[in-house]
Amino acid sequence: MGEDAERWRTFPGARLVVAIARTVTSTVRLLDVLGPVLRDDPRIDLVFAYDPTSAFNDGVHALLRSVAARVLPWPQFGRTRPDLVITATENADLATADHDCPVLVLPHGAGFHKTVPDSRSDRDRLAGLVPDALLRTGRVWFTISHPDQAAQLAAAHPATAGRTLLIGDPCYDALLDGRNLRDRYRRALGVRDDRRLIMLSSTWRDHSLLGRDPALPARLLAELPLDDYAVALVTHPNITAAHSGYTLRSHLASAHDAGLLAIPPTAGWQATLLAADLLIGDHGSVTFYGAALGTPLLLGAFGEDEAVAGTPMAELGRIAPRLRPQAPLRPQIERALGDGPPPGDGTAERLRKVGESAFAAPGRALELLRTAVYDLLCLPEPAAAPPPRPAPEPPVLPDPPEPLTACHFHTSLSDGPDGPRVAVERTPATVAAFSSVARNDLPGGPFRHLSCADDATDRQWPESASVLFRRAAADSVVAADRWIDDTLARYPGCRLAATTVAGRGCRAGLRDGRTVELSATGLLDDPAVLAAVVYTCLRARRPLEGFVTLALADRTEDVALRLTGQRGKQAG
């Protein structure tokens, strides 16, 4: 970069491209596109200039280090002579540097649909529009994803007229290319085919999903059976930049303990969206991409004052169904997933068309962007094939949820043509206080009990549990009975204790000294679930012998119960 840089070069470096790294959001967008666009071209020197002036710059350096990028200190940027500056942030001060090269501005969201606070004044401004001083230089080119955006920008500022380049949207193209990898993404998240994945997406500020209802993740986990549903959360990087990742996790601590899938804000949201069965969003771009893909959608919040009137995002906010936060959540989720009668008003199709209306030239964004970049650099494009179109990488959870140790079981027993049937649902105990649904015991069910692993680190749960289970299988029947007796003696409030025995099914010991042996068809060997069958039969005053059909999520198992009489040592 200095005056004697030629002495140290390996590659020829005919053109210098400087990418502006100011926030995590804008830097991620640059990293997504610059690799494919500048691929296999040693004529291009690419460096990132780190602008430290943003209130949301936390994490930018770590992100650039993670990809081994060359980072240019901001004071040195003004002394360079770039041939092209590329930015996905409109706030960088690019007018004061003594440069005369073109500036290519990429949006870091789905178009120009949002107003945000202006860091240079106490007013709001159109997101994506650079300051007047830079516009007056005549060096700026805006990439747009739809021709309508050219008119929108010209109406917002006449100096943008004739300064737009239609390329489409690389992010939308990546989502389209990843649709066939849905099963791979679900496996990466640990979501079985028989579970529905609910994705929450929150932009930043007080009108966002989390700004309006920070308890929503915990409430969903409290009201949706964990064997039927998984819940993932994607947050705008500005949330952690402003409050810190530590604070965000602290605010959502119970939800994390209950199995919330926390998707990193820098990677994984696209794959999670493709894996999702339902999106609950707000006025952020992720919600808009979900609508364009046809993902079932509920709005948990929407900043009408921030959505720009006349844009597709404003139209989405007008027609998308809303989540009613004070009402029970499960019926609303099931209805949005199509489990109830269809609304019949064509809302889903209208949302998909609104989403698609913001994206022209689908599948060609990287190709058109490469042409634009090389035209501005006055270089012929590489003779190689068009840039690759990589589908989103599978999400990697840096902090995957721990196995749940305490759950509330909700069971019922009914008689069918094939005998008794026990239906089982469970929800994490750690979020029980967030539920707005009252679950009281009724004659004949449903029954409710707390079940907990005996080695749970939060000791409030085993001390309160009606059922205790051992996660590791006992080596023998004798060892199992010894553990049952010891457990019932240590926890006087416990009604039964259960453990699997290697090669021998499950043993559930009652406080009166009786023991029930259980074996199930299929692969079910969860002692907590099998113990729930015994607990339900006890509460319903049914015999602890014979066969019971167990219904859990969308599968059924035949469970055989055999009462073996008194254990060698009666518990307490």
Side-chain angles (χ1 to χ4, degrees):
M1 299 293 297
E3 295 180 357
D4 61 347
E6 298 296 334
R7 297 177 58 195
W8 318 110
R9 289 187 181 278
T10 298
F11 302 113
R15 298 289 190 274
L16 173 62
V17 175
V18 177
I20 305 300
R22 188 170 187 269
T23 66
V24 168
T25 309
S26 58
T27 304
V28 166
R29 180 56 67 101
L30 292 176
L31 292 173
D32 284 345
V33 301
L34 290 181
V37 166
L38 301 179
R39 178 187 175 101
D40 293 334
D41 194 347
R43 299 173 298 171
I44 306 298
D45 277 334
L46 173 65
V47 297
F48 286 80
Y50 170 59
D51 177 357
T53 62
S54 173
F56 303 106
N57 60 16
D58 186 54
V60 173
H61 257 304
L63 178 59
L64 293 174
R65 282 196 300 270
S66 72
V67 297
R70 172 66 69 192
V71 181
L72 181 70
W74 193 244
Q76 191 176 345
F77 170 61
R79 301 195 298 270
T80 63
R81 290 293 174 264
D83 298 286
L84 175 65
V85 172
I86 301 181
T87 178
T89 174
E90 64 272 22
N91 281 321
D93 188 0
L94 303 178
T96 57
D98 186 21
H99 296 152
D100 57 6
C101 68
V103 176
L104 185 62
V105 181
L106 310 178
H108 58 259
F112 305 88
H113 63 248
K114 190 175 178 181
T115 60
V116 293
D118 186 357
S119 61
R120 297 175 176 84
S121 70
D122 58 358
R123 299 186 301 273
D124 289 343
R125 57 172 180 78
L126 178 64
L129 186 62
V130 300
D132 289 353
L134 185 57
L135 279 173
R136 287 195 295 268
T137 66
R139 299 161 45 210
V140 179
W141 293 91
F142 295 91
T143 62
I144 58 176
S145 62
H146 193 276
D148 290 350
Q149 294 168 7
Q152 180 195 355
L153 286 174
H157 202 300
T160 64
R163 308 297 298 179
T164 58
L165 302 170
L166 178 63
I167 68 161
D169 188 302
C171 185
Y172 180 59
D173 286 358
L175 288 166
L176 293 178
D177 289 336
R179 287 178 297 183
N180 291 332
L181 300 178
R182 170 182 165 87
D183 290 345
R184 182 185 180 195
Y185 299 146
R186 289 175 66 88
R187 287 194 301 271
L189 291 167
V191 179
R192 301 187 313 268
D193 290 341
D194 57 352
R195 296 175 79 196
R196 261 82 172 269
L197 175 61
I198 311 301
M199 176 179 172
L200 302 175
S201 174
S202 179
T203 189
W204 57 297
R205 299 184 72 197
D206 56 342
H207 288 172
S208 68
L209 184 79
L210 288 183
R212 289 286 179 87
D213 191 0
L216 181 59
R219 287 190 58 212
L220 283 166
L221 289 160
E223 296 184 25
L224 298 177
L226 67 86
D227 293 290
D228 296 280
Y229 293 92
V231 179
L233 172 66
V234 172
T235 55
H236 193 287
N238 283 3
I239 296 178
T240 51
H243 299 281
S244 81
Y246 177 88
T247 296
L248 177 62
R249 186 173 182 89
S250 176
H251 290 343
L252 304 174
S254 293
H256 282 284
D257 290 345
L260 179 68
L261 302 173
I263 309 302
T266 57
W269 72 264
Q270 293 165 299
T272 305
L273 178 57
L274 292 166
D277 296 286
L278 173 68
L279 171 63
I280 302 177
D282 51 25
H283 56 292
S285 291
V286 176
T287 304
F288 197 85
Y289 287 122
L293 292 173
T295 305
L297 172 65
L298 288 173
L299 290 179
F302 196 84
E304 282 84 359
D305 294 340
E306 296 181 20
V308 177
T311 62
M313 177 61 85
E315 178 67 5
L316 181 148
R318 189 182 69 82
I319 65 176
R322 304 291 178 110
L323 184 76
R324 293 178 292 124
Q326 303 309 317
L329 298 176
R330 184 174 178 178
Q332 299 181 71
I333 300 301
E334 292 175 345
R335 187 163 51 249
L337 287 167
D339 293 348
D345 58 2
T347 298
E349 182 63 16
R350 291 165 64 200
L351 284 171
R352 186 185 62 79
K353 289 183 177 178
V354 167
E356 290 180 341
S357 70
F359 306 117
R364 299 187 60 208
L366 289 176
E367 176 187 349
L368 294 173
L369 179 58
R370 185 172 80 164
T371 297
V373 165
Y374 279 90
D375 284 348
L376 293 173
L377 287 171
C378 300
L379 276 178
E381 290 187 55
R389 291 163 38 191
E393 288 293 322
V396 177
L397 299 177
D399 190 12
E402 294 289 332
L404 294 176
T405 57
C407 288
H408 286 293
F409 276 72
H410 314 280
T411 65
S412 61
L413 190 150
S414 59
D415 290 307
D418 298 323
R421 176 186 177 92
V422 174
V424 175
E425 292 182 348
R426 51 182 166 174
T427 54
T430 186
V431 289
F434 291 88
S435 175
S436 62
V437 179
R439 295 181 183 269
N440 299 316
D441 284 7
L442 299 173
F447 305 116
R448 182 174 185 265
H449 70 271
L450 175 63
S451 178
C452 181
D454 69 320
D455 60 351
T457 55
D458 187 344
R459 300 310 294 168
Q460 66 171 308
W461 303 123
E463 291 170 358
S464 306
S466 296
V467 175
L468 286 167
F469 63 90
R470 173 174 162 163
R471 288 192 280 190
D475 294 332
S476 64
V477 170
V478 172
D481 287 350
R482 184 184 303 118
W483 173 85
I484 289 171
D485 288 335
D486 290 346
T487 299
L488 293 173
R490 281 187 291 124
Y491 297 98
C494 177
R495 298 189 65 168
L496 66 93
T499 178
T500 53
V501 183
R504 296 287 300 270
C506 177
R507 289 176 74 81
L510 280 62
R511 184 158 291 281
D512 62 9
R514 291 179 295 168
T515 302
V516 182
E517 289 185 345
L518 300 101
S519 59
T521 59
L523 300 176
L524 180 63
D525 60 355
D526 187 332
V529 174
L530 293 173
V533 174
V534 178
Y535 181 91
T536 303
C537 291
L538 281 173
R539 292 294 305 274
R541 302 183 185 279
R542 294 298 186 92
L544 302 180
E545 294 271 3
F547 288 90
V548 172
T549 299
L550 168 65
L552 178 69
D554 67 346
R555 66 184 187 272
T556 58
E557 305 270 0
D558 290 330
V559 180
L561 291 78
R562 188 171 73 90
L563 189 62
T564 64
Q566 300 291 316
R567 293 185 301 279
K569 172 187 175 184
Q570 184 167 328

